[in-house]
Amino acid sequence: MKTDIILAGVGGQGILSIAAVIGEAALEDGLFMKQTEVHGMSQRGGDVQSHLRISDQPIASDLIPLGTADIIISLEPMEALRYLPYLKKDGWVVTNSNPFKNISDYPESEQIMEVYNSLPNKIIINVEQIAKDLGALRSSNVILLGAASPHLPIDFFKLENGIRRIFGKKGKDVVETNLKALSAGVGHEN
């Protein structure tokens, strides 16, 4: 078993938190894991991406070759498109529907959706609205992780344990909010 994941978004959206939760869950599951350093500007508003490789066998490289990623998880819809050349033909894209328009020539939503509509496997959800409805505005990233969870090779309860370990130092309320956010993301299919 091998799963290659590309995480994408812009600085401040919580890409590294998603990677940390998945990593913790994979290690609890006894899996091998490699993650790249973040590429791009990780300051608020700059593009951020990371390669996360999970396997039941040792992993030689932390970089995902073109055309082999199993899933792209993106908190920004255009950022997911940037990494489509990495996605394998039957791979999944799980993305937020709301853009973070940090550039003046950001494409029109219709152009972005045209590309998404051509993909066979996608989940596009409005994580900000779900977070608002949940009263968990800072947990959009975890909602998106919940939406991606059925396509990850890790049991859901181990993702929950990953949340407990990653957010535990921030207190019980933060942990509980993120556990609710993870569950709120599950079940959104296109």
Side-chain angles (χ1 to χ4, degrees):
M1 180 283 301
K2 173 190 72 67
T3 302
D4 288 340
I5 304 164
I6 292 182
L7 302 163
V10 297
Q13 289 187 310
I15 295 299
L16 294 180
S17 294
I18 293 174
V21 169
I22 295 171
E24 285 287 325
L27 292 175
E28 179 183 345
D29 222 7
L31 299 172
F32 294 91
M33 182 198 69
K34 285 208 179 211
Q35 180 185 356
T36 60
E37 296 294 320
V38 176
H39 297 279
M41 295 171 30
S42 59
Q43 67 191 30
R44 187 166 301 279
D47 65 87
V48 176
Q49 67 98 1
S50 181
H51 291 205
L52 183 60
R53 305 187 83 188
I54 300 168
S55 177
D56 57 358
Q57 301 294 314
I59 303 165
S61 173
D62 54 1
L63 295 176
I64 298 171
L66 290 172
T68 63
D70 297 286
I71 186 168
I72 295 171
I73 302 172
S74 180
L75 280 151
E76 206 295 315
M78 192 178 77
E79 289 300 320
L81 297 182
R82 182 188 311 252
Y83 300 103
L84 282 182
Y86 287 90
L87 191 66
K88 64 184 183 180
K89 287 183 177 48
D90 62 343
W92 280 86
V93 175
V94 181
T95 189
N96 182 12
S97 62
N98 288 333
F100 182 89
K101 295 185 178 184
N102 57 346
I103 56 174
S104 60
D105 58 346
Y106 195 95
E108 294 296 322
S109 295
E110 294 79 25
Q111 290 175 293
I112 293 172
M113 287 311 298
E114 190 175 310
V115 175
Y116 280 119
N117 288 334
S118 72
L119 299 175
N121 300 314
K122 62 198 169 284
I123 299 172
I124 304 166
I125 64 172
N126 185 334
V127 295
E128 283 87 2
Q129 186 61 53
I130 296 169
K132 184 178 177 185
D133 294 346
L134 194 62
L137 296 177
R138 297 190 55 157
S139 298
S140 296
N141 59 334
V142 178
I143 292 167
L144 195 66
L145 176 58
S149 66
H151 306 288
L152 298 175
I154 300 167
D155 291 330
F156 189 79
F157 76 93
K158 290 183 180 164
L159 290 171
E160 290 175 321
N161 288 341
I163 285 173
R164 288 181 184 99
R165 284 190 296 277
I166 295 301
F167 295 107
K169 293 179 182 176
K170 295 184 178 188
K172 182 179 178 182
D173 289 344
V174 171
V175 170
E176 290 304 314
T177 297
N178 281 289
L179 289 172
K180 288 178 186 173
L182 184 70
S183 292
V186 176
H188 295 276
E189 295 286 333
N190 291 67

